[in-house]
Amino acid sequence: MELKQVIIAYKARDSQSKRWAEICAKQLENRQCQVLIGPSGPKDNPYPVFLASAPQQIDLAVVLGGDGTVLTGARHLAPAGIPILGVNVGGHLGFLTESVEEFQDTEQVWERLLEDRYAIQRRMMLQAAVFEGHGSNLEPITERYLALNEMCVKPASADRMITSILEMEIDGEVVDQYVGDGLIMATPTGSTGYTVSANGPIMHDGMEAITITPICPMSLSSRPLILPPGSVVSIWPLGDYDLSTKLWTDGVLATSIWPGHRVDVRMADCRAKFIILRENNSYYQTLREKLLWAGTRVRYSSTNHAN
């Protein structure tokens, strides 16, 4: 990998991630690398400026923060094919990031990248757009939205909890109507996020599939579904008298959806590229540690079963 043009995004209003960003920027500039640096948060989006003002191709994006900061970066950087090195500085779970311990010797990190001593993991994303009317209408009325974790259709109201009524089609065929808090369409990466909180399945992040999980449905027969990656999921809001239904991407509000509109969700034509520094990267170890499964909480003196 070349390191001629690098962008660094750090978690907004977090002094630790900002300090790490400044250290990284200084080291890279000492290596004759051009660096663009800025905060990323709910009120700060540096990526349009990064992408528009970079004088040459961007070789790397260093994202310092938690999973939320990395999700924002992935939505903006995946279409441009820019690899992301995410580091858990100031975050919590850190499913998508390298631990800060792997990042302590930053000078060694730059050497490893220059010598191609790393792995790249490509992760499936979802894209969605809003259309008017029947499925034969293929002209969207909104921009294309991207998500690395999930697309969610559910209502939002400042003064009360609203029950949604949603009709779902898969590949043009009506499958079910859901009465409840909403629907989650997730990638394998997102299966350990909002989806798992709604009792959806956990899928290995090396797979390509779409999971549909109802949120608190009022019918016991409403169950999660796992679909092939080429499926197109269409959702219509029904009986939305308050005009409160929204489309959310990775937990961020994308747009409002009114009766007569439909949301089409499908696999995106781009993938997020993550740089992996861990030499023995294990998906199952990550699950054990992040979800506090047995084996991380209880330590036994005898491990004969593993010998």
Side-chain angles (χ1 to χ4, degrees), residues 124 126-127 169-172 208-212 226-234 264-268:
M124 166 190 164
L126 295 176
Q127 67 182 49
E169 283 187 2
I170 299 174
D171 297 332
E208 289 190 348
I210 301 173
T211 298
I212 301 174
I226 300 177
L227 308 179
S231 303
V232 178
V233 181
S234 301
D264 281 3
V265 180
R266 66 187 74 205
M267 182 173 67

Side-chain angles (χ1 to χ4, degrees), residues 33-271:
C33 174
Q34 292 185 317
V35 179
L36 297 173
I37 183 173
S40 175
K43 297 181 180 179
D44 301 280
N45 181 6
Y47 296 103
V49 175
F50 284 163
L51 296 172
S53 59
Q56 56 186 322
Q57 177 181 346
I58 298 172
D59 300 306
L60 171 69
V62 179
V63 181
L64 305 167
D67 286 340
T69 311
V70 174
L71 287 169
T72 300
R75 292 195 299 273
H76 288 89
L77 300 173
I82 299 171
I84 299 170
L85 174 58
V87 184
N88 189 12
V89 181
H92 299 290
L93 278 176
F95 266 101
L96 299 172
T97 54
E98 298 281 330
S99 68
V100 72
E101 286 77 18
E102 294 279 347
F103 201 66
Q104 287 294 327
D105 188 349
T106 48
E107 291 286 10
Q108 185 182 25
V109 170
W110 313 135
E111 288 297 327
R112 287 185 60 180
L113 294 176
L114 288 168
E115 296 171 3
D116 292 334
R117 291 190 290 118
Y118 60 91
I120 285 191
Q121 189 176 64
R122 292 171 172 82
R123 298 199 180 204
M124 166 190 164
M125 300 184 72
L126 295 176
Q127 67 182 49
V130 178
F131 301 80
E132 285 186 333
H134 194 266
S136 60
N137 184 357
L138 302 179
E139 190 64 35
I141 61 173
T142 65
E143 62 181 286
R144 179 185 73 158
Y145 302 101
L146 291 174
L148 176 58
N149 265 3
E150 76 278 318
M151 298 286 183
C152 181
V153 176
K154 67 176 184 178
S157 174
D159 53 0
R160 65 189 182 95
M161 296 175 64
I162 298 177
T163 298
S164 63
I165 306 174
L166 304 173
E167 183 170 276
M168 181 182 70
E169 283 187 2
I170 299 174
D171 297 332
E173 181 177 352
V174 175
V175 174
D176 201 354
Q177 289 183 357
Y178 298 93
V179 180
D181 289 353
L183 279 175
I184 305 169
M185 284 67 61
T187 65
T189 297
S191 69
T192 51
Y194 194 5
T195 294
V196 78
S197 300
N199 287 324
I202 294 177
M203 291 189 292
H204 193 287
D205 57 20
M207 296 177 62
E208 289 190 348
I210 301 173
T211 298
I212 301 174
T213 305
I215 309 170
C216 298
M218 293 186 177
S219 171
L220 293 178
S221 65
S222 296
R223 311 304 301 167
L225 296 173
I226 300 177
L227 308 179
S231 303
V232 178
V233 181
S234 301
I235 300 170
W236 279 266
L238 305 177
D240 184 12
Y241 306 110
D242 297 296
L243 303 179
S244 60
T245 306
K246 314 290 184 185
L247 172 66
W248 308 78
T249 65
D250 292 335
V252 177
L253 178 62
T255 187
S256 297
I257 310 163
W258 290 9
H261 290 172
R262 79 175 195 276
V263 180
D264 281 3
V265 180
R266 66 187 74 205
M267 182 173 67
D269 54 10
C270 59
R271 287 170 172 77

